[in-house]
Amino acid sequence: MTFEGLAAFGYELGLLKRVRRSGWWHAGVRDPESVGEHSLRAAQLAALLAAEEGASPERAAFLALWHDTQETRTGDLPLTAVDYLRKPEPRAITADQTDGLPARSKDLVRAAVDEYETRESAEARCAKDADKLEMLLQALEYRDAGVRRVDEWIESARKGLTTETAKRIAEAALTLSPLAWRDR
């Protein structure tokens, strides 16, 4: 077992607190959320979606926690880069990231990323929907703060949703103020 490998990976994961979601700069957001901030709410939403969809909330949240960890190596690539860059394969990046980990930890992370990417389980579909739903909520929050060019993010998120629960939450979010939680 290599505790140094676990410590090094722990430091690498800390980069997610500093890597910004770069697509928001195109919308005019001066200080966009970090990948870590995005991943936290995505994991929380994944648990809620899974609970409503009859899947494992714990597993869905776990998958969502790992869904963007590759961005410690690539940064957050905006959609505008797709025509110019080959999209990195998340499983390959995860394999490199986890190469120095003990076998159990390595297998745990690699299996989570593989399950998320294949979207064959209900939990993976809930985690992916949570990723999209989190983006939609963030876009609505930025719009409420005065950022005007967020409609394409909202529409992209809505089109990407697959679970009935996520679709219904998105529709509800579009009718509420981002501060509606205070009135509940």
Side-chain angles (χ1 to χ4, degrees):
M1 178 180 308
T2 168
F3 292 107
E4 291 83 8
L6 288 167
F9 192 47
Y11 280 125
E12 181 173 348
L13 293 172
L15 292 172
L16 297 172
K17 296 190 292 183
R18 296 187 296 281
V19 173
R20 297 288 163 198
R21 304 255 301 160
S22 62
W24 293 121
W25 283 318
H26 295 273
V29 177
R30 290 178 188 254
D31 186 26
E33 66 176 332
S34 71
V35 173
E37 290 166 324
H38 161 73
S39 295
L40 172 64
R41 184 159 61 175
Q44 292 165 327
L45 290 168
L48 298 173
L49 290 175
E52 296 302 320
E53 291 286 320
S56 168
E58 297 85 358
R59 185 70 184 166
F62 186 75
L63 299 179
L65 278 175
W66 294 102
H67 86 281
D68 276 342
T69 55
Q70 305 80 21
E71 292 180 10
T72 63
R73 302 281 173 102
T74 64
D76 179 55
L77 299 173
L79 193 57
T80 55
V82 171
D83 290 339
Y84 307 100
L85 301 172
R86 179 183 55 84
K87 183 179 181 331
E89 169 51 50
R91 291 177 199 99
I93 296 169
T94 299
D96 287 343
Q97 287 177 310
T98 59
D99 197 43
L101 297 182
R104 285 187 289 235
S105 294
K106 181 188 313 187
D107 293 346
L108 179 80
V109 174
R110 289 178 180 182
V113 170
D114 185 59
E115 183 177 347
Y116 178 83
E117 292 299 327
T118 59
R119 312 260 200 292
E120 291 176 3
S121 69
E123 291 80 8
R125 289 187 294 277
C126 287
K128 181 59 178 178
D129 272 8
D131 177 40
K132 295 290 186 184
L133 190 56
E134 198 288 327
M135 181 176 71
L136 182 141
L137 293 171
Q138 187 64 64
L140 293 171
E141 290 169 356
Y142 285 145
R143 184 171 72 187
D144 195 56
V147 178
R148 283 179 258 153
R149 296 185 311 264
V150 297
D151 290 345
E152 68 184 274
W153 280 267
I154 293 168
E155 195 53 34
S156 171
R158 288 177 71 195
K159 285 181 180 176
L161 297 174
T162 61
T163 63
E164 191 58 35
T165 301
K167 291 174 184 177
R168 293 179 74 186
I169 292 170
E171 292 309 310
L174 290 167
T175 65
L176 293 173
S177 159
L179 297 177
W181 62 269
R182 296 187 317 185
D183 300 330
R184 299 236 169 252

